[in-house]
């Protein structure tokens, strides 16, 4: 079977919403180290390789919002689609205490090959769906680990990330903070966006309403949990967007 660096679901769905998942998979294509970065399966199952649970939430949420979804099909350790092409962390050699053997000696030629065969096709697919309608709303789904090595536990169940454009994120934060059982982070566990990252590239640069949601990955470990979060978030997102008048 020919390797595909991304998957599109529901391309013809009528909603304005486009749901993306930059770190959907921990796949290492055969053309990268014969399909291995030199890490054991236990490491490739960690958050360093992908965003556990995020792909399922993306699928269910796109269905609930009746919009298309684009999911990556390569590990963030192969090359990180949520970084600009000139970002020094595009191809990680050390992440959360783990050395990535397959990246230690990866030079310019290897970087270009991964860009051409993984990163650029994925972004081309996202750009195509963004361009399909002028009123697109961009929603990026990620997950985060409950605790980094040597760091304190992260209390948030969900985080909303934003930078230059707070139109949708502010309304979403207000809605989520009205939920009595949620610990909600604003630009937590990470701050805002990076220049050239996926939201910056496809939404902020186009002036589109956008938001990035981070879910703690222990809360979306099963299909039932993923479906439950999608079902909960879809009406909240719909209401938040309506309140903005965008």
């Amino acid at each position: 079977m020919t390797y595909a660096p991304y998957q599109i679901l529901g391309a013809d769905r009528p909603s304005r919403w486009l749901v993306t998942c930059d770190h959907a998979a921990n796949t290492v294509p055969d053309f990268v180290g014969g399909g291995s970065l030199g890490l054991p399966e236990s490491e490739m199952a960690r958050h360093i390789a992908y965003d556990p649970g995020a792909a399922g939430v993306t699928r269910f949420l796109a269905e609930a919002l009746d919009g298309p979804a684009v999911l990556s099909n390569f590990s963030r350790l192969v090359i990180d689609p949520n970084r600009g092409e000139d970002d020094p962390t595009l191809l990680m050699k050390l992440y959360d205490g783990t050395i990535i053997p397959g990246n230690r000696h990866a030079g310019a030629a290897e970087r270009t090959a991964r860009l051409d065969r993984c990163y650029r096709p994925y972004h081309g697919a996202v750009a195509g769906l963004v361009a399909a309608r002028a009123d697109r709303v961009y929603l990026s789904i990620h997950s985060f680990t409950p605790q980094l090595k040597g760091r304190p536990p992260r209390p948030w169940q969900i985080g909303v990330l934003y930078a230059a454009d707070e139109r949708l994120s502010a309304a979403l934060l207000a809605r989520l903070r009205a939920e009595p059982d949620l610990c909600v982070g604003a630009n937590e566990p990470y701050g805002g966006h990076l220049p050239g990252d996926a939201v910056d590239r496809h939404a902020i640069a186009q002036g589109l309403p956008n938001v990035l949601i981070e879910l703690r990955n222990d809360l979306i470990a099963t299909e039932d949990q993923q479906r439950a979060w999608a079902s909960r978030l879809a009406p909240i997102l719909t209401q938040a967007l309506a309140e903005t008048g965008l």
Side-chain angles (χ1 to χ4, degrees):
M1 181 179 294
T2 303
Y3 169 72
Y6 62 86
Q7 181 182 22
I8 295 176
L9 302 175
D12 296 327
R13 289 175 186 155
S15 170
R16 296 174 63 190
W17 293 94
L18 170 63
V19 190
T20 65
C21 191
D22 300 325
H23 301 144
N26 59 359
T27 307
V28 180
D30 286 344
F31 57 82
V32 176
S36 172
L37 290 168
L39 291 172
E41 288 185 14
S42 58
E43 289 291 314
M44 291 302 296
R46 294 179 61 218
H47 70 97
I48 63 171
Y50 75 125
D51 282 357
V57 173
T58 298
R59 293 187 182 97
F60 294 130
L61 193 50
E63 288 179 7
L65 294 169
D66 205 17
V70 188
L71 298 89
S72 69
N73 186 31
F74 51 94
S75 171
R76 67 197 302 169
L77 297 179
V78 170
I79 196 159
D80 193 335
N82 197 33
R83 296 290 184 271
E85 291 196 17
D86 59 350
D87 192 300
T89 64
L90 181 71
L91 201 158
M92 294 289 283
K93 302 189 177 185
L94 175 69
Y95 193 0
D96 194 21
T98 296
I99 293 171
I100 318 304
N103 291 347
R104 287 186 68 181
H105 304 293
E110 179 68 16
R111 177 181 176 278
T112 298
R114 297 185 195 184
L115 282 168
D116 287 343
R117 300 182 74 172
C118 296
Y119 180 104
R120 290 169 179 155
Y122 170 73
H123 281 292
V126 174
L129 284 168
V130 167
R133 55 185 300 168
D135 64 346
R136 187 65 83 192
V137 180
Y138 193 95
L139 171 60
S140 182
I141 300 297
H142 291 253
S143 72
F144 64 94
T145 185
Q147 187 173 12
L148 291 170
K149 288 183 177 179
R151 302 286 185 87
R154 291 163 159 174
W156 313 282
Q157 294 155 299
I158 184 170
V160 176
L161 274 58
Y162 54 90
D165 182 356
E166 298 181 38
R167 295 175 296 171
L168 181 53
S169 58
L172 178 59
L173 275 168
R175 282 271 173 184
L176 290 171
R177 285 171 169 166
E179 301 280 311
D181 61 327
L182 291 184
C183 179
V184 182
N187 277 338
E188 297 287 0
Y190 311 106
H193 297 295
L194 299 170
D197 70 11
V199 174
D200 183 45
R201 175 175 182 163
H202 296 293
I204 294 174
Q206 320 299 331
L208 299 178
N210 64 86
V211 68
L212 187 153
I213 292 176
E214 290 268 4
L215 291 162
R216 208 174 70 211
N217 66 29
D218 61 321
L219 303 178
I220 52 171
T222 69
E223 184 173 307
D224 285 346
Q225 290 174 318
Q226 295 157 15
R227 190 186 298 273
W229 271 100
S231 297
R232 182 175 189 176
L233 287 172
I236 293 173
L237 284 158
T238 301
Q239 291 158 8
L241 180 61
E243 287 169 4
T244 67
L246 294 168

